[in-house]
Amino acid sequence: EGLGIALDHQRCGPQVTTTTRGTVFVTSCQNEVTFSDDDGAHWQKVPEPAWEVGFRHSWPAIYPLGPNEIGVVNNVAPGSVQIRFGTW
């Protein structure tokens, strides 16, 4: 049940952003990034996660920074907030 289709690579505390080009990006406490170029009809996992920590209650956030750039902010270690940048 719910809206849309299930996001296989996401779990707990989702964060969503949409770019000016219409690409939708999602991250969650699974610490993976998935994206859709067709309004959520199909989702693809980014090949490499921003952090290889697996599932952790780290509550990441994702932000569009430019036409082809996003930033993922995360609490990867106690007291250590970091940001990683990616382009597509």
Side-chain angles (χ1 to χ4, degrees), residues 9-15 26-32 58 60:
H9 304 287
Q10 302 298 338
R11 176 177 163 208
C12 183
Q15 170 74 34
V26 179
T27 192
S28 69
C29 290
Q30 189 63 45
N31 291 298
E32 297 284 354
S58 54

Side-chain angles (χ1 to χ4, degrees), residues 3-83:
L3 300 174
I5 62 170
L7 298 174
D8 293 335
H9 304 287
Q10 302 298 338
R11 176 177 163 208
C12 183
Q15 170 74 34
V16 178
T17 194
T18 303
T19 67
T20 55
R21 290 180 27 198
T23 303
V24 181
F25 285 91
V26 179
T27 192
S28 69
C29 290
Q30 189 63 45
N31 291 298
E32 297 284 354
V33 176
T34 54
F35 69 95
S36 173
D37 284 320
D38 58 8
D39 297 320
H42 301 91
W43 293 92
Q44 298 177 25
K45 183 174 83 165
V46 172
E48 295 183 32
W51 291 272
E52 300 218 16
V53 296
F55 178 77
R56 186 176 352 161
H57 288 110
S58 54
W59 312 107
I62 192 165
Y63 299 96
L65 301 173
N68 296 318
E69 185 178 31
I70 59 170
V72 181
V73 181
N74 202 339
N75 177 19
V76 294
S80 176
V81 175
Q82 295 180 10
I83 185 168

